[in-house]
Amino acid sequence: MSDLRGSDLRGSDRWGSDRRGSDRWGPAAFKARVDEVLHGFVAQEAEQLSAIDPALGPVAGQLEAAVADGKRLRAAFCYWGWRAVGQPDSDALVRAAASMELVHAAAVVHDDLIDDSPLRHGRPTAHIALRAAVRRRPRAVAAARSLAMLVGDLLMSLAGQMFATSGLPAAYLARARPLWSVLARELIAGECLEILRTGADPDTTASLKVIRYKTAKYTVEQPLLIGGALAGAGRRLREGYSAYGLPLGEAFQLRDDLLGLFGDPERTGKANADDVRGHRPTALLAETWRIAGDGERERLSALLGRRDLDADGLDAVREVMCRLKAPDRIEAMITARVEEALDALHELDTPPYATAALTALARSAAVRLS
């Protein structure tokens, strides 16, 4: 394994290392670093896009809007995939890790388009916001959706560009490059599986497979593996990253499913009715269906997938779920997966500061209000 200690890649020591192997995990400081890199990079790309033609201004604006918010968890997992190998803090690595957030931004734009979601972070989603740019055109709604699709495509392209130009040595980047094709393949597979399962009879096993490929892998496992590959992680550590990352990524999405229906829209920034109106294959719905009786299934069937579902209809779905204790079952699944992830983490021979950071990240990923 190569070691960058003492090299010019170390950059400023913004993690508070005391030079004796002890680091203070500062998520707010790390988020600020990622935001600075991400916003600057995308702003420059948006400016260059707008320079081609003024008509592209609204499209460029959506590039910037796509990265305006976020917890930056994916960048953090990539960063700690690197640090847990024993590598030091590196500004170049932070730039490479920030590219994970562009992958996420692309996935979100496409996901909102596929699901026809109207809100994200409390603001109109790209395909809704872009209607203003084409409101006088024929088939304006379809045109806005097409523009949003292209915004997502460009964001994914920019992710690769940001990674390749991060400033890390070419040999390091070459170790991680094959994982990008795996990440893209599995993310697309998850999106396709969700589309194929939408509207079908709910099935918990199928829903968990969607969760694993659509969210868990690109949220936790793949960023960790990419960070580890950049750092030269060995086979045992890479296996440990997967053993930690997969259950934690599933816990993250299971929490998202609960928040999607029972969370406060002021905090989540998303509409509560999306999953029910779309009859999406969430594990929450699948568990409800699995334990429901004939009468309850009949009631759910009359409500799921209705685009005109009102507040009373949504409350009726919640009432069935709560009566059957489906949310409690999902909470138990989250708890079991977090415990599985932490057990795997504590089996690894990683520096104490990295173990502490990954433990904190597990809590923040699975126990949250938005």
Side-chain angles (χ1 to χ4, degrees):
M1 179 190 77
S2 301
D3 193 337
L4 299 183
R5 293 185 191 281
S7 80
D8 59 1
L9 286 175
R10 181 172 58 220
S12 59
D13 188 3
R14 304 186 195 184
W15 291 91
S17 171
D18 64 6
R19 304 295 180 187
R20 294 180 302 229
S22 162
D23 286 48
R24 293 194 299 272
W25 162 235
F30 178 75
K31 181 182 183 305
R33 290 174 75 182
V34 173
D35 282 346
E36 181 182 1
V37 170
L38 202 57
H39 293 162
F41 178 83
V42 174
Q44 185 176 30
E45 291 294 331
E47 182 179 357
Q48 291 176 348
L49 183 65
S50 295
I52 294 171
D53 191 293
L56 293 169
V59 179
Q62 286 306 304
L63 283 179
E64 295 190 86
V67 299
D69 302 290
K71 302 174 187 66
R72 311 313 184 202
L73 285 174
R74 292 156 188 84
F77 283 118
C78 184
Y79 177 87
W80 286 105
W82 162 278
R83 294 297 307 275
V85 182
Q87 297 284 21
D89 182 40
S90 158
D91 286 337
L93 189 279
V94 170
R95 288 192 291 275
S99 68
M100 300 292 101
E101 298 300 328
L102 287 171
V103 172
H104 177 53
V108 163
V109 171
H110 285 150
D111 196 47
D112 288 341
L113 180 60
I114 292 165
D115 294 340
D116 202 21
S117 298
L119 291 175
R120 175 76 63 167
H121 298 298
R123 296 191 302 271
T125 49
H127 67 280
I128 300 296
L130 284 165
R131 289 180 185 179
V134 292
R135 62 181 179 273
R136 293 186 178 87
R137 308 290 193 277
R139 302 181 66 245
V141 171
R145 294 176 66 84
S146 297
L147 289 174
M149 178 185 67
L150 295 168
V151 168
D153 291 347
L154 182 53
L155 285 164
M156 185 63 86
S157 173
L158 293 177
Q161 179 186 336
M162 189 177 202
F163 184 80
T165 61
S166 62
L168 289 171
Y172 289 36
L173 295 172
R175 291 195 294 242
R177 193 167 291 118
L179 293 175
W180 276 78
S181 61
V182 177
L183 182 155
R185 182 189 313 120
E186 292 180 339
L187 175 55
I188 296 301
E191 287 283 7
C192 290
L193 285 172
E194 183 179 56
I195 293 168
L196 293 167
R197 291 294 310 173
T198 292
D201 286 345
D203 178 84
T204 300
T205 300
S207 293
L208 290 173
K209 190 168 192 177
V210 171
I211 283 173
R212 172 165 287 208
Y213 283 92
K214 181 189 169 188
T215 303
K217 282 177 165 286
Y218 98 90
T219 297
V220 186
E221 185 199 25
Q222 289 295 349
L224 277 169
L225 289 173
I226 287 171
L230 289 168
R235 179 182 59 82
R236 185 174 181 277
L237 185 55
R238 296 195 306 272
E239 290 173 350
Y241 283 170
S242 291
Y244 162 88
L246 281 172
L248 181 57
E250 290 178 1
F252 175 89
Q253 184 57 43
L254 289 168
R255 173 65 61 202
D256 214 52
D257 289 349
L258 278 177
L259 290 171
L261 189 53
F262 291 95
D264 178 0
E266 292 294 320
R267 287 181 177 271
T268 65
K270 293 185 277 190
N272 280 137
D274 280 2
D275 288 346
V276 178
R277 284 178 179 157
H279 197 170
R280 295 175 192 157
T282 67
L284 175 60
L285 174 58
E287 278 296 283
T288 303
W289 189 267
R290 184 178 65 81
I291 55 183
D294 291 341
E296 290 154 336
R297 287 187 176 186
E298 184 177 349
R299 178 67 172 141
L300 288 170
S301 294
L303 296 167
L304 295 173
R306 284 182 51 177
R307 304 306 297 177
D308 62 346
L309 187 77
D310 59 14
D312 289 341
L314 190 60
D315 285 342
V317 173
R318 291 191 184 107
E319 189 276 329
V320 172
M321 289 179 168
C322 290
R323 179 155 35 86
L324 296 174
K325 300 188 183 304
D328 294 340
R329 292 174 180 271
I330 299 301
E331 287 285 1
M333 291 166 70
I334 292 170
T335 298
R337 282 160 173 76
V338 172
E339 289 176 353
E340 181 183 349
L342 292 177
D343 286 346
L345 174 63
H346 294 128
E347 288 291 317
L348 297 177
D349 182 19
T350 54
Y353 56 83
T355 302
L358 289 169
T359 299
L361 277 169
R363 303 294 184 196
S364 63
V367 183
R368 55 197 170 89
L369 297 175
S370 64

